[in-house]
């Protein structure tokens, strides 16, 4: 690469002795972490001071009175609310959120004013102002932008805060046994809490000022729940970024030139992902933000020489929002570039099964089980068809879509790193569909003779990658094996030389753990994976892929710190659809209507032509 080229419009070559190494990813800073810890401790002290009557007269409460957030010895309700707010604020400060910093800057002077007004405490004024000065001194540390959000979080806040307030309220009404009039039952205590949260007088009465203290505390909790819910409901939305039509066109152009490099490249066209491009526009990284994790999948798209520029933009975006950067399922080459350019670390996640079409054959002892299964199904009258999406009629394509949705078996579409999330899009005409058919008049079906569907996405000009496998639950076992064999046998006619099958997590551990001479640690690890396979199909996917004698290509997860791995794992499970936070069935009618997928330019053009016809 010529040295005269403008460095701002190009990207460094990721290989060679002069490769530029970017600084490490954002690490938790000491100042935000200390401030967040202080807010957490103060919040807990304030809640305890407002809830437990004996605690309010102890020496620990004397310490809590001079810390920011405690609003006076007579304000148990304000102490509880301040404690809750500080607990909510601590997480944002730890993540260096700008809005959390602004809230703290406003809260600390108010706390100091309350201390001076109600207690005339010098320490109660000095300590909050010192912490305020510290926040102002390090204001540059708190520059993270808001996360994607919607008004759906208002309902979540209402439910969680209601449960939280109900729990604290039960403690409040139960910590005054010596001042309680009579002997109220558990039902009466619970009823008193519910009434108190909405500002009404309940059935329980207390001697002296305790009744007013309990009522004020419960009312403050209810008011706090209402105010935070109203704020979340009416604050401006920051919706999650999605692919625009221009982004999709640019990604397709990159895949046309460089799509043969990575079998997961076409999955970057999922429209629920966002994208960052390198300064030269020759490479891109697609991602989704899940639970504060900026999750990319596969290798960057485009020219390898431009990958560092796209990675730098990705890391800058993660630091700007204080997101945790992570990459799922990148190749060995991609992992090397990610670790070199970003300072992240990598861990082998599993293996991808790739079958070379020219080497595939049903002959031989190793393929006997697959061969016998396919022959048995074919004798049962099943036939197969393998075609490009553009070769299917509209009616047949509609049946395939409806059948794939009905045969899914779960409420939500699963997949992120190796799933496109759609079938039959006009822009995806190069995708391959393998279908199994059986004419059975005795069991009519709304999908005709269709019994199973396999969908493949392009992998460069001469390869395909498996997207989804769906079959009728009433069909004979072995539909997936039948269609994979049919697709492999029909592949040469479509110019396909390689086929990527499912990704097998921890494949090497499963394979080595069952070999002769495996040590106790490896056997224990394999036993745990087999146990988890009851829910996540770890072992079954490995054994299914191994039937076709593939070659295994390792895939890696890239992460910043080992402390982030549990969080990344949970976010990946959410993205893949294995973990889906959902409302109870009785409240699911409150769920917003699902957002319709954005129509691309090709769909809009096809719709206009249909209307004109």
């Amino acid at each position: 690469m010529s040295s005269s080229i403008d460095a701002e419009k190009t990207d460094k070559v990721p290989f060679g002795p002069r490769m530029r190494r970017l600084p490490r990813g954002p690490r938790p800073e000491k100042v935000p972490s200390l401030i967040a810890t202080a807010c957490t401790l103060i919040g807990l002290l304030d809640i305890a001071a407002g809830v437990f009557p004996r605690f309010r007269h102890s020496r620990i409460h004397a310490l809590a009175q001079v810390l920011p957030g405690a609003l006076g010895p007579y304000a148990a309700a304000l102490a509880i609310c301040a404690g809750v707010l500080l607990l909510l604020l601590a997480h944002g400060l730890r993540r260096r959120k700008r809005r959390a910093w602004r809230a703290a800057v406003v809260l600390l002077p108010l706390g100091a004013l309350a201390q001076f007004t109600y207690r005339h405490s010098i320490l109660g004024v000095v300590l909050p102002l010192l912490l305020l000065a510290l926040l102002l001194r390090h204001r540059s540390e708190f520059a993270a932008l808001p996360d994607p959000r919607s008004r759906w979080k208002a309902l979540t806040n209402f439910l969680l805060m209601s449960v939280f307030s109900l729990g604290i309220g039960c403690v409040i009404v139960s910590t005054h046994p010596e001042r309680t009039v009579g002997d109220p039952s558990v039902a009466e205590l619970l009823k008193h809490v519910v009434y108190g949260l909405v500002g009404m007088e309940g059935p329980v009465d207390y001697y002296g000022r305790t009744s007013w203290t309990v009522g004020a505390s419960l009312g403050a909790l209810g008011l706090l729940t209402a105010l935070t819910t109203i704020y979340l409901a009416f604050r401006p939305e920051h919706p999650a970024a999605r692919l625009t039509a221009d982004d999709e066109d640019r990604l397709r152009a990159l895949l046309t030139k460089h799509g043969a490099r990575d079998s997961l490249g076409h999955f970057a066209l999922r429209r629920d992902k966002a994208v960052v491009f390198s300064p030269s526009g020759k490479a891109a990284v697609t991602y989704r933000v899940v639970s504060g994790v900026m999750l990319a999948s596969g290798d960057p798209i485009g020219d390898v020489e431009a990958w560092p520029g796209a990675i730098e933009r990705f890391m800058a975006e993660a630091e700007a929002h204080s997101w945790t950067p992570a990459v799922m399922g990148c190749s060995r080459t991609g992992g090397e570039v990610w670790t070199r350019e970003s300072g992240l670390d990598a861990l082998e996640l599993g293996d991808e099964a790739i079958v070379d079409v020219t080497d595939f054959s049903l002959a031989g002892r190793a393929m006997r089980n697959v061969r016998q299964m396919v022959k048995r199904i074919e004798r049962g009258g099943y036939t197969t068809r393998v075609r490009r999406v553009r070769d299917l009629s509209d009616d047949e394509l509609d049946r395939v879509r409806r059948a794939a949705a009905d045969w899914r078996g779960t409420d939500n579409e699963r997949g992120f790193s190796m799933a496109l999330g759609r079938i039959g899009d006009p822009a995806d005409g190069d995708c391959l569909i393998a279908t199994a058919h059986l004419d059975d008049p005795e069991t009519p079906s709304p999908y005709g003779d269709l019994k199973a569907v396999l969908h493949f996405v392009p992998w460069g000009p001469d390869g395909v990658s498996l997207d989804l496998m769906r079959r009728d639950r009433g069909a004979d076992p072995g539909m997936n094996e039948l269609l994979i064999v049919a697709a492999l046998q029909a592949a040469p006619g479509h110019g396909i030389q390689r086929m990527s099958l499912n990704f097998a997590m921890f494949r090497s551990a499963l394979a080595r753990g069952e070999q002769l001479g495996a040590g106790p640690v490896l056997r224990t690890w394999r036993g745990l994976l087999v146990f988890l396979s009851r829910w996540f199909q770890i072992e079954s996917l490995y054994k299914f892929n191994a039937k076709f004698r593939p070659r295994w290509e390792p895939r890696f997860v890239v992460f910043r710190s080992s402390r982030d791995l549990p969080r990344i794992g949970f976010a990946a499970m959410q993205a893949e659809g294995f973990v889906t936070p959902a409302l109870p069935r009785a409240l699911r009618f409150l769920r917003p209507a699902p957002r319709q997928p954005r129509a691309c330019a090709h769909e809009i053009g096809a719709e206009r032509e249909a209307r004109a016809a």
Side-chain angles (χ1 to χ4, degrees), residues 276-483:
V276 289
F277 288 91
S278 66
S280 64
K282 295 180 180 180
V285 176
T286 58
Y287 65 91
R288 185 197 297 176
V289 179
V290 182
S291 299
V293 177
M294 191 176 182
L295 199 63
S297 60
D299 294 344
I301 307 300
D303 190 355
V304 180
E305 295 184 354
W307 285 5
I311 292 173
E312 182 177 5
R313 289 282 179 88
F314 177 88
M315 297 300 296
E317 188 78 4
E319 184 171 6
H321 293 269
S322 191
W323 292 331
T324 300
V327 186
M328 298 294 297
C330 65
S331 67
R332 186 180 299 277
T333 301
E336 290 176 354
V337 179
W338 271 104
T339 54
R340 291 175 183 176
E341 295 298 321
S342 63
L344 302 179
D345 202 354
L347 181 68
E348 185 173 342
L349 186 62
D351 295 88
E352 179 185 8
I354 298 176
V355 180
D356 294 318
V357 174
T358 56
D359 298 334
F360 178 77
S361 173
L362 286 176
R365 183 178 180 84
M367 299 297 295
R368 182 180 60 180
N369 292 336
V370 177
R371 181 174 64 251
Q372 291 177 349
M373 180 177 293
V374 170
K375 294 298 182 182
R376 178 180 57 80
I377 297 174
E378 289 177 343
R379 287 195 299 267
Y382 286 90
T383 59
T384 59
R385 301 181 68 184
V386 181
R387 293 158 290 171
R388 297 284 185 179
V389 166
R390 58 174 173 266
D391 297 329
L392 274 71
S393 64
D394 293 338
D395 292 340
E396 187 173 7
L397 196 55
D398 180 66
R399 287 198 304 271
V400 169
R401 289 196 194 99
R402 291 188 291 109
D406 291 344
W407 297 340
R408 184 168 55 205
T410 58
D411 293 336
N412 301 290
E413 185 75 43
R414 287 184 175 179
F416 168 70
S417 57
M418 293 189 69
L420 188 60
R422 60 180 184 267
I423 298 178
D425 191 287
D428 299 324
D430 287 338
C431 291
L432 196 71
I433 286 185
T435 54
H437 306 265
L438 176 64
D439 189 8
D440 189 3
E442 297 182 358
T443 57
S445 170
Y447 316 115
D449 62 351
L450 185 63
K451 295 300 179 182
V453 176
L454 261 62
H455 186 255
F456 299 84
V457 300
W459 174 14
D462 61 351
V464 290
S465 185
L466 181 60
D467 177 23
L468 61 82
M469 301 185 294
R470 302 282 165 78
R471 67 177 182 88
D472 187 350
R473 298 302 175 184
D476 293 342
M479 289 291 102
N480 293 330
E481 290 87 342
L482 172 68
L483 288 182

Side-chain angles (χ1 to χ4, degrees), residues 194-208:
V194 175
Y195 278 29
L197 291 177
V198 297
M200 299 175 60
E201 186 176 353
V204 182
D205 197 10
Y206 301 89
Y207 296 107

